[in-house]
Every structure is written in C-alpha cells, then in structure tokens.
Amino acid sequence: MKARTVLFFLYLSFVLQVRFVQADGRSEYIRENYTKYEKRIPVRDGVKLFTAIYIPNDTSKEYPILLLRTPYSISPYGPDQYRGQIGPHEEFEKEGFIFVYQDVRGRFMSDGDFVHMTPHVPDKKANSDTDESTDTYDTIEWLLEHVPNHNGRVGQWGISYPGFYTSAGSIDSHPALKAVSPQAPVSDFYWDDVYHHGAFLLNHWFGFLNKVQQTREGLIDERPDPIYEIETTDAYKFFMDVGPLKNVNESYFKKKSQFWNYVARHPNYDEFWQKRNILPHLKNIKAAVMVVGGWYDREDLFGPLNTYQMIERQNPDTFNVLVMGPWYHGGWLRSKGDELGDTDFGFPTAEHYQENVDLHFFKHFLKDEESELKMPEALMFETGANRWRRFDRWPPASSEKRRFYFHKGGKLSSRGPEEDYDACDSYMSDPGKPVPHTIDNSRWINNTFYSEDQRFASRRPDVLVYQTDILEDEVTFAGTIKANLFVSTTGTDSDWVVKLIDVYPDDLEEKAAQQTLIRAEAFRGRFRENYSKPRPLIPNEVTKISFELWDVLHTFKRGHRIMIHVQSTWFPFIDRNPQKYVPNIFQADEDDFIKVTNSVYRSKVHPSHIEVGVLQQMF
C-alpha cells in the first residue's frame, strides 16, 4: 500500500511538472512571437475601455483581429506583463492573429459603470444610448484605424459571460466583424445563471456574487477579495447552516453585493429580468456564427441552445451553426473531454473540437488560406454511443415524438396508464432534510454532478423512481425533453425536479447497475401558469405542471434501462422551497419551512409522463 502511495505521488508530481513545462513553453512562445500594447479605447459617449493588444512580431503578412471582451479582468496589467495564453488554445497562437482583450465598461481598468447583463438599447437616438453592441462596434472601429498590419477582418469569441458579450457584439454587426463564436453564452440571466424555471441556483449564484462584485472605488488592477471568506469544504452543511435566504445579507454579504440585493427584490420574471434577455435582440447579424455549448453545463445549457435558435429564426440568411459536446461549462477548452464524473466518452472530444472545428471556423472567415469549411448545421456529440453526429437541422427532422408514462410499481412505459382516477405515488418532502444534488459535497462547485451515478438518490424515500424494462433495442433521444406532471401537495408551494437517467446492466464487470444522470431540471410550482405572476398551489388539488428539460442527444444501449426520478429538493444546487407560499422566498422566515406530502399521479385522467424526440435508427 505504501509503495502504491509513493508511486501515485511520483506520478502526480511528474504530471504537474509536465503541465508546468508545457504552460511555461507556451508563455515563452508568446513572448518571443508577440508584442503587447495597452490602450484606452474611447467609445461614443467618452468612456475609455482598457484594452490589451498582442501583435505578431512577424510583419511580413497581415493578420485578422480576434477580440475577447470580459468582466473578469484582462490581467496581468503592464505592457511587459504577458498572459500565459492569448488564444482559445495554443494552435491559434501558432497560426497568427492579432489578439485583443478588453475589460468591459465599469470593470477593473475600464471607465464607466458596470451593469450585469447590460440591457440592449434597440432604438439609439444619441451617443449616450450605449450598450455592449455599441461598445464592441466602437472598439472595432478604433482597432481598424490604429492597429497596424491587420487584414481588415475581425472575429470575436468568449465563454460564459464573455459569450454574452460576443452575442451582443454581433447585433448590428460592424462590417469588419466576419466571425463570432458565442460559447456557453449567457442569454437571459433569469434562465441561465440565476434561476431554472424559477428555482434559484443557490450555491452557484452565492459563490459567483461573492467573488464578482458590481461596485468598485476607482480603477483597479487586482481582483477584490471575496465578500465572505468561506472556510468549510462541506457545501451542503454550509448552506443548511445559512438557513433562509434572508440570512445571506444579514450574516454573510451584509448588503455589500448590489446585485444580490436586486435578485432578492426580483424573484419573479419581471421587467428587471426581461430587459436583460438578449435573445429578442439578436438581429441584423452579418457575421458568421458558431454557437458552442456542453451537454453537461450546469450553468448555461439554455444559453447556447436558445442563442442558436433565435439567431436562426431572426437572421435566416446568416451562416449560423451549432456545436454541442459532452462537456461541462467551458470544458471544450478546459479539459480533454474524454470523461466527466462517472461517464467515459471514449476519446478526447475536446481535442477533436480544437483540432478540427474552432480554428478552422475562424481561419475560413478571417483568412484567405482555407477556402472550404466542412461544417454541418449542427455538429452534436451523441452520448451513450460516444460519437459525433452531423445534422442539417436541429432538432433533427427524423426524430419522432414519443411519450414515456409513469406506472404502478415504478414502471416506465410508452403504453398509456390504465389506473383509476386517483392512482398516484406519494412521498414526504422535508426542507430540513433536502435531497443532495451530489454525493460529493466536499467541492463547493461540482462540475461533474450532471453526469453522476444517481444510486445515492434512488435509495431515498423522498425520490420517486420509474424505469423501463430492459431495452431490447437501442433508443436514441434527440431534441427537447418535456416533463408533463400531474401533481398535488399538502402545502401551498413546492418544487419538482425531474431527472433522466441511463441505467447500466447488472452483469457488467465495470459500472454494473450504474445510474448515470443524463439530464435534469427543476421547476418551482408557483410559476406553473406564469413566470411573472406566481400563484400558490391549492392544497390537495391535482395540478398539471409542464416544463422543459432542454435538449439531449443520447443513446440508451440494448440491455440498458431508461429511468426517471421525481423529487422536490435538489440541494444546495437549488435553494430550499419553504413549501408554504410566501410572496418572496428571499424574505421567508424559518417558520415558513414546512414538511409536506407530495403526490405524482399516473392514471388515465392524470397521465404523468415525459415527451421527447426519438431518433430513427440509421439501419
């Protein structure tokens, strides 16, 4: 045992040294081949945006400009201080671009006031009518006029929040902006990062605002300290100790996070959130678009899928493609993409993307060297089968809608239920003992729980489990999953979490009987009719709740089973619903949190089920 331990640490030391050498070699290459400049670029209302520009030292040819705008700092600051990487990955730096990084308005070394998800101004009448689209346009205009040795073409990219700035920059595109790639883009803050169907993303949002504060005093070149120093590694216990959400301000943030205060005042999808939805404004896009996302993105799965669909709908003549891989948030550049959690994808999918997709996209539209771009409308990774699929539309036209109904004894079947009117399955939902979203609560933010083995949850009495018989043939889900539940509660509010799971055969040598999470989503019952106008549930009244779990492309192999979980807590990924209706959960007291009995109906009159596109087999 001691020998194995020593060997493990020797191996770990070797891996870390190799990575350090590789990273150090990349930094040396950048210093040897690029010169850095720092400029304060003025935009139309007089605000100056701090910008770092890396220009190739080889002046024998012209280069396109590749722009990234971020609220997370473009450090290190100083013309002699270089970033360790200046392209999406190393091949970009070897290929040669003029790389431009910019602090967005109001962040770090840029002037102005920062606004989370800057609302778009569709009707601009004066220079004071600015948004991220105008700031991008003015930045490109300045770069074209002042930066030497460019070829007149500009591309823009970014992951997550920078993905939002990329989407915004494409609106009313500058003529020189030829290619954009919004990657895991935030599109509608309410739906992406803050709420999922009205259920609050507690641990993610607490951690995000704890580090990303909205206010500052003057220009800063270092990241400010977190508002609250978190010492525990047990996220479940930490948030249980927090108690009701009202305690966050009183005991932790102490009203220092301005945006937390906004969130606490706006629990519904009201005007505050609606004007932060960029999707309706994705118009007049002249640049080619490649939207990238990950099937296992706990933050922004809604963003890439809906960004692609809205650009497609509102810009029918624009080149617009979608790439979805088996990745967590940004995993296409931050991992090999060969495995995640309890799931093995068979090969390094991220390396495949880097070598065959993203660089080729930008080279095609920004350089003259590559004349043909062999990209389908939708390049989608099919989990389960572990292969890339190419579609001429998404969702694929060849998929057919099928329903899978809940039955007595935990059965799941495409056959409709025949039980009596009040046939149902019930469980007690206790906010004092919520179902954990992961078996590993030692990590504050867990990027792997979206692909985790769910047997820890299946064993709980407050989780309903339905599964098919052993599959005799492969079944491929493709497109949007929709949950249609008929439910009741003894309380006046409750959450409903639906999880789609792939159950492995019992006789495998590895992963025997594993229950791998494929997709999951939460819904807050008060929003069953309208996300802007919540209403309490009526105790013991059967109510229909329908919501989307978003898209999937997954094959359940022969010998596997399809499983569905239904539960009412998913903590601390989702905050605890008091289950007693209060107008604003951020103001709920400890006494408002009550135990309730929740029921899911499975009768001819109330046939709870999921609906999803099933892809016809090729042969």
Side-chain angles (χ1 to χ4, degrees), residues 457-470:
S458 292
R459 301 184 185 106
R460 290 183 57 116
D462 50 358
V463 176
L464 298 181
V465 179
Y466 302 93
Q467 65 177 338
T468 63
D469 292 334
I470 295 173

Side-chain angles (χ1 to χ4, degrees), residues 516-534:
T516 304
L517 184 62
I518 305 302
R519 180 72 69 250
E521 211 28 287
F523 183 91
R524 187 140 286 173
R526 62 176 58 204
F527 296 114
R528 65 201 179 279
E529 297 175 359
N530 192 311
Y531 289 96
S532 302
K533 299 177 180 179

Side-chain angles (χ1 to χ4, degrees), residues 140-182:
I140 293 174
E141 190 78 0
W142 188 96
L143 292 170
L144 294 173
E145 292 179 3
H146 295 86
V147 173
N149 229 42
H150 66 75
N151 69 358
R153 301 178 191 177
V154 180
Q156 186 175 358
W157 74 286
I159 298 173
S160 194
Y161 221 146
F164 157 74
Y165 293 110
T166 303
S167 295
S170 71
I171 301 171
D172 300 323
S173 308
H174 190 288
L177 187 63
K178 301 299 184 183
V180 298
S181 183

Side-chain angles (χ1 to χ4, degrees), residues 107-274:
R107 293 293 288 172
F108 291 92
M109 293 294 288
S110 284
D111 297 341
D113 297 321
F114 176 65
V115 178
H116 271 301
M117 289 291 289
T118 312
H120 184 74
V121 182
D123 186 18
K124 300 175 178 68
K125 298 178 180 178
N127 285 341
S128 59
D129 293 332
T130 63
D131 52 28
E132 302 306 335
S133 174
T134 62
D135 281 356
T136 304
Y137 191 103
D138 295 348
T139 294
I140 293 174
E141 190 78 0
W142 188 96
L143 292 170
L144 294 173
E145 292 179 3
H146 295 86
V147 173
N149 229 42
H150 66 75
N151 69 358
R153 301 178 191 177
V154 180
Q156 186 175 358
W157 74 286
I159 298 173
S160 194
Y161 221 146
F164 157 74
Y165 293 110
T166 303
S167 295
S170 71
I171 301 171
D172 300 323
S173 308
H174 190 288
L177 187 63
K178 301 299 184 183
V180 298
S181 183
Q183 302 179 5
V186 183
S187 59
D188 183 332
F189 230 10
Y190 187 89
W191 287 91
D192 281 301
D193 285 66
V194 187
Y195 294 93
H196 281 194
H197 292 292
F200 182 56
L201 274 60
L202 176 58
N203 69 333
H204 165 67
W205 198 240
F206 182 101
F208 177 78
L209 288 183
N210 191 40
K211 295 179 179 179
V212 183
Q213 302 178 50
Q214 184 172 358
T215 57
R216 64 174 183 178
E217 295 181 4
L219 305 182
I220 57 175
D221 60 6
E222 293 183 356
R223 292 180 181 273
D225 294 331
I227 302 173
Y228 181 83
E229 289 293 341
I230 301 170
E231 298 178 356
T232 180
T233 57
D234 189 335
Y236 187 96
K237 181 179 185 302
F238 175 85
F239 284 108
M240 286 301 294
D241 291 343
V242 167
L245 293 178
K246 64 187 300 183
N247 294 342
V248 170
N249 251 337
E250 295 175 3
S251 302
Y252 300 89
F253 284 0
K254 300 186 184 300
K255 300 185 178 180
K256 293 181 180 179
S257 173
Q258 185 177 350
F259 204 75
W260 177 275
N261 299 334
Y262 288 145
V263 172
R265 291 198 295 268
H266 298 275
N268 309 326
Y269 190 57
D270 57 15
E271 184 182 3
F272 174 81
W273 296 110
Q274 292 167 14

Side-chain angles (χ1 to χ4, degrees), residues 10-25:
L10 285 173
Y11 171 75
L12 180 62
S13 175
F14 171 75
V15 170
L16 292 175
Q17 288 178 33
V18 169
R19 290 183 177 178
F20 176 79
V21 170
Q22 290 173 338
D24 190 57

Side-chain angles (χ1 to χ4, degrees), residues 454 457 497-501 517 519-520 563-565 567 570:
Q454 297 298 301
V497 179
V498 174
K499 298 187 293 191
L500 173 67
I501 296 165
L517 184 62
R519 180 72 69 250
M563 177 180 283
I564 297 292
H565 281 187
Q567 58 198 63
W570 204 24

